[in-house]
Amino acid sequence: MTVNVLQPGLLTTIQDLGRYGSQKYGVIVSGAMDSYSLRVANLLVGNAEGEGALEITLFGTTLQFDKDSLLAITGGDLQATIDGEKAPMWRPILIRKGSILRFKSAINGCRAYVAFAGGIIVPPIMESKSTYLRAGIGGLQGRALRKGDTFECGEMSALNQSFAQQVEEMTEHATWSVNFSALINLQQVQTIRVLKGTEFTRFDQDSQQTLFSEPYTLSTQADRMGYRLEGPALSLADTFELLSESVTYGTIQIPPNGQPIILMADRQTTGGYPKIGQIISADLSSLAQLQPTSTIHFKEVSLEEAENELLKKERLLDELKMGIQLKRLQ
Amino acid sequence: MSNRNIVASMKPLGDSAIIVQLGEGISPTIHELVSNLSTLVNNHKFEGFIESVPAYNNLTIYYNPVVVHHSQKNKVAGHASLTSFQKVSAFMEVLVQQIGTNLALEKRVVTIPVLYGDEFGPDLEYVAQYHGLSAEEVIQLHSGAEYLVYMIGFAPGFPFMGGLSEQIATPRKKTPLLAIAPGSVGIAGKQTGVYPLETPGGWQIIGRTPLDLFLPAISPPTLLQAGDIIRFTPISPEEYYHYKEMKQ
C-alpha cells in the first residue's frame, strides 16, 4: 500500500523504539516519545511491537491510501476523521482505497501514533527506522514528512487479511478497544514520578524541597529534544564543574538560569549540567503527552517503586498482547 | 596493576541505566580503566544488557530492567529479591575486579588533515592575537601535539579530546554561532574538537578538515572512537579540495 501525504502537519516523523547500541559514538537514541502508544498501535494491527509507525504532533496531518488496509491510531486524541467521520482510536480500523485520514487538533494529549499492518517500508539505519532529524538519517530520508511525500507499507499477512475481513464484518472497525488508561495519562495536569538525580545532594536545601513541592509549567520550548520548564529557580549549594557524562530520556538537568530542562527522546547522548532528578520510565509516555502550558507536579519515589511500576505496566502489555491475539484468531 | 583493588561506585541513572564511577577528574590512567571495563562488559554481556557509554571517568551501562528482573541467569546467589539495579551492580562489581588483566589495549592513531585559517578557520587570527602568537605558531602548536579521545558525545562522532597546549587554550565565544560547518576544528578552553555535523556552537574555529566524521552507512558509524590517538596535519587548499574530490 502507498500512503500519500496530503498535509504533513506540524511535525510528523517515522519512529520505532529507538536506535540503541551506538550512543558510545554519539548517535542519539530517538524513537517514539510515547513508546507505550507506539507498541499498542503495532500490536493492534498484528505487527511486531517495535515496528516503525507515524508519530503525529498536535495537529494538521492528512493522509490518503491507495488500497484497503488495516491501521490503528493510539496516543493523544487529535480528533482523527476518516472521510469526515470520527475515526475510533485504540482499535484496528479497516481503511478503504482512496480514503482520507485527517488529524484536526489535539483535544487530549499531544502526540498520536498510526501503525499500518505490515509496517512502514524504509531502510533501517543502524537497525532502526527512527528519524534522527539533526543528522538527517532514518525514517523517510532522515526528515519530517512533507506535503506530496509518499511511502510504502508492507504487504498484509494471511492472518491480517482474515482479520481485516473480521473487522469489515464489524462495520469497518473493531467493536472492542484497548483500555489505555492504566498505561498512559492524557491529563494536562499531571503528577510525574521522579528519582533523585546523581547531583541531587549538590543542590541547596530549598531547591531540594522545591522540586517536589512546587508545580512547574511546561513552556512553549518543548520538543522531541527537551522540555523547558518554568517555575521556581533551582540552584546548587556551591558551584562546581561537572564533566560531560551520559544523560538519558527523562533526565532533569538544571542549567545556570535554574529553570529545569527534561531531556526527551532526541536528547544528546551526553550532557554537562547537574542532574537533579530522573523521571521513572513508567511515566515517560504520560510526560510525552503533555502540551505546552500544562502543569507538572514532581513526586519522589524509590528506585524499587520505579522498577515495580515498570514491571506492572509490562504485565499489562503482556495481557493486552494475549487479548489482542485471541480477538484476531476468533 | 592487576594486584590492586579498584574502587568503583555504582549510581543509578534512572531505572534503566547505571553509572560505574572509576575515579575523579581527567587522566589517561582513569581513561584506561573506563575503556577496559567497557571492553569487558561488551565481551561478557548479561541478559538485558543494551549498551555501554564511556565518559571521562565513568562508564554508563544501559539495560532493560524488565529483562534483568525475569532473567534466571542474572540471579545473585543467596539473594532472591534483589532489584534489577542491585543485580546489575553486583555483576558490574565482579567485572570491575577483573580490570587490569587485559590492560594496554592497542591504540589506533588517526591523522586528521586540516586546512587552517582564512574562511575555513575564521578565528585563527583571534586565537593568535589572544596569546600574542603568530597564526603560524598556533598551527604548529595545534598540529604538533598528540591528542587522546576520552569520549564521544554532543553529536555523532564528536570527540572530547585532551592534550591541547596551554599556550593556545582560548575561552569560547560569548555568543555561540547558530551554524558551524561540518568538519570545523575548534578550541574551547583547554579542549579541541571537530564538528561532525552542522550545529550551533561557541568554539573558536581555527580550521576545517575535508574528512567526514559521521559515516552512518558503515559500522562503526564514526571516524573517531573513545581511546583513539589523534594527530592534526596542516594541508593546503589544493590538498583540501583533492580530498573532497576523492570522496565523490
Side-chain angles (χ1 to χ4, degrees):
Chain A
M1 178 183 67
T2 305
V3 180
N4 292 302
V5 181
L6 303 184
Q7 288 296 338
L10 181 65
L11 176 72
T12 302
T13 56
I14 296 170
Q15 300 292 342
D16 56 17
L17 292 177
R19 185 171 285 109
Y20 281 96
S22 298
Q23 287 195 83
K24 59 172 146 316
Y25 306 121
V27 175
I28 68 171
V29 175
S30 312
M33 291 275 276
D34 170 359
S35 59
Y36 286 134
S37 291
L38 176 120
R39 291 166 72 185
V40 173
N42 276 317
L43 291 171
L44 284 168
V45 295
N47 294 343
E49 62 179 55
E51 178 54 63
L54 293 184
E55 180 180 277
I56 294 172
T57 317
L58 285 169
F59 60 84
T61 308
T62 309
L63 308 170
Q64 190 170 31
F65 309 91
D66 80 334
K67 269 187 193 154
D68 292 3
S69 185
L70 265 185
L71 59 78
I73 307 165
T74 62
D77 186 351
L78 272 52
Q79 301 181 81
T81 55
I82 296 170
D83 299 330
E85 299 279 319
K86 188 176 183 331
M89 293 180 66
W90 301 96
R91 70 190 82 194
I93 309 171
L94 188 67
I95 194 125
R96 295 296 185 180
K97 179 181 175 181
S99 281
I100 291 175
L101 171 64
R102 178 164 177 262
F103 293 85
K104 194 177 163 204
S105 61
I107 48 167
N108 234 336
C110 184
R111 295 175 170 84
Y113 293 83
V114 186
F116 305 92
I120 299 176
I121 304 198
V122 288
I125 308 289
M126 288 173 245
E127 295 169 36
S128 169
K129 294 182 180 177
S130 286
T131 312
Y132 178 178
L133 293 169
R134 178 150 276 173
I137 60 166
L140 190 70
Q141 298 164 32
R143 57 170 176 76
L145 299 192
R146 287 180 197 153
K147 188 174 181 164
D149 276 343
T150 59
F151 60 88
E152 296 296 319
C153 294
E155 289 301 312
M156 282 214 281
S157 62
L159 180 62
N160 261 336
Q161 278 175 12
S162 75
F163 184 53
Q165 219 157 30
Q166 185 194 325
V167 173
E168 189 175 5
E169 284 155 17
M170 290 188 264
T171 63
E172 313 293 285
H173 58 77
T175 46
W176 50 272
S177 68
V178 165
N179 179 8
F180 61 88
S181 59
L183 281 176
I184 62 164
N185 181 348
L186 297 177
Q187 303 298 313
Q188 295 304 308
V189 178
Q190 282 198 33
T191 299
I192 296 285
R193 291 166 292 184
V194 173
L195 300 166
K196 283 177 181 165
T198 37
E199 282 77 49
F200 183 81
T201 55
R202 308 295 291 264
F203 287 84
D204 62 37
Q205 288 295 328
D206 265 5
S207 298
Q208 293 186 18
Q209 281 164 11
T210 301
L211 179 71
F212 298 117
S213 60
E214 299 296 320
Y216 280 85
T217 304
L218 184 54
S219 77
T220 51
Q221 285 175 290
D223 59 18
R224 284 185 44 88
M225 260 183 98
Y227 281 5
R228 282 178 186 270
L229 306 185
E230 285 162 0
L234 303 173
S235 48
L236 294 165
D238 298 294
T239 55
F240 68 103
E241 198 197 351
L242 186 69
L243 296 171
S244 279
E245 62 178 24
S246 289
V247 290
T248 190
Y249 192 0
T251 299
I252 309 173
Q253 56 179 26
I254 309 295
N257 73 4
Q259 298 294 323
I261 300 172
I262 308 177
L263 301 180
M264 302 300 284
D266 280 353
R267 69 213 172 262
Q268 291 172 5
T269 55
T270 59
Y273 291 137
K275 304 174 275 298
I276 197 170
Q278 175 68 45
I279 288 157
I280 70 171
S281 298
D283 283 358
L284 291 173
S285 282
S286 300
L287 180 73
Q289 290 296 350
L290 289 171
Q291 292 178 13
T293 74
S294 56
T295 305
I296 305 177
H297 297 269
F298 293 116
K299 183 188 172 210
E300 190 195 343
V301 292
S302 69
L303 184 52
E304 202 173 351
E305 284 172 84
E307 286 189 9
N308 286 337
E309 284 304 305
L310 195 60
L311 289 165
K312 209 162 81 185
K313 290 196 175 179
E314 229 31 66
R315 275 196 296 275
L316 275 170
L317 268 169
D318 281 344
E319 285 166 21
L320 202 67
K321 237 180 264 187
M322 286 212 291
I324 293 170
Q325 256 161 13
L326 286 175
K327 294 273 185 204
R328 289 166 56 82
L329 293 169
Q330 266 172 13
Chain B
M1 199 151 178
S2 57
N3 294 332
R4 83 171 177 179
N5 204 19
I6 296 162
V7 180
S9 66
M10 312 274 169
K11 47 189 182 181
L13 177 65
D15 51 34
S16 306
I18 179 172
I19 302 174
V20 184
Q21 191 73 35
L22 290 162
E24 295 299 325
I26 304 174
S27 79
T29 318
I30 298 171
H31 166 77
E32 284 301 315
L33 299 179
V34 174
S35 54
N36 268 265
L37 186 62
S38 186
T39 306
L40 275 168
V41 72
N42 281 283
N43 290 338
H44 302 87
K45 291 174 183 163
F46 57 88
E47 240 184 304
F49 172 86
I50 295 174
E51 61 182 313
S52 67
V53 184
Y56 285 107
N57 50 30
N58 62 40
L59 184 71
T60 299
I61 313 291
Y62 290 85
Y63 60 89
N64 181 332
V66 178
V67 176
V68 171
H69 176 83
H70 292 300
S71 165
Q72 295 301 312
K73 281 190 200 155
N74 295 340
K75 271 197 176 154
V76 179
H79 297 276
S81 60
L82 290 181
T83 62
S84 297
F85 173 75
Q86 288 166 327
K87 284 184 186 175
V88 175
S89 292
F91 183 89
M92 291 309 298
E93 197 64 59
V94 172
L95 285 191
V96 165
Q97 295 317 319
Q98 290 173 24
I99 298 179
T101 54
N102 66 340
L103 273 180
L105 299 170
E106 204 177 311
K107 294 250 174 276
R108 295 192 323 157
V109 178
V110 183
T111 301
I112 298 182
V114 180
L115 174 56
Y116 286 97
D118 295 325
E119 80 257 40
F120 287 173
D123 304 319
L124 179 65
E125 284 299 331
Y126 175 84
V127 172
Q129 278 169 23
Y130 187 88
H131 295 282
L133 299 169
S134 68
E136 199 48 48
E137 285 169 319
V138 173
I139 294 171
Q140 273 174 20
L141 285 163
H142 190 261
S143 60
E146 278 195 346
Y147 302 89
L148 173 62
V149 179
Y150 282 97
M151 57 185 278
I152 304 284
F154 171 65
F158 184 92
F160 286 82
M161 299 189 280
L164 184 70
S165 165
E166 295 274 358
Q167 289 173 269
I168 52 172
T170 315
R172 62 184 73 208
K173 289 178 183 167
K174 287 205 177 69
T175 314
L177 295 183
L178 283 177
I180 291 181
S184 292
V185 176
I187 289 175
K190 282 188 276 185
Q191 295 188 85
T192 182
V194 191
Y195 282 78
L197 299 178
E198 186 178 293
T199 33
W203 293 38
Q204 308 287 353
I205 304 303
I206 61 170
R208 196 185 296 179
T209 179
L211 301 186
D212 289 327
L213 276 86
F214 180 43
L215 310 145
I218 64 168
S219 176
T222 53
L223 179 69
L224 306 177
Q225 295 163 42
D228 287 348
I229 299 288
I230 305 302
R231 292 193 193 117
F232 294 104
T233 177
I235 54 169
S236 65
E238 290 73 27
E239 288 170 301
Y240 180 92
Y241 290 109
H242 183 62
Y243 268 106
K244 281 279 187 195
E245 276 167 29
M246 282 199 318
K247 281 198 309 200
Q248 285 161 7

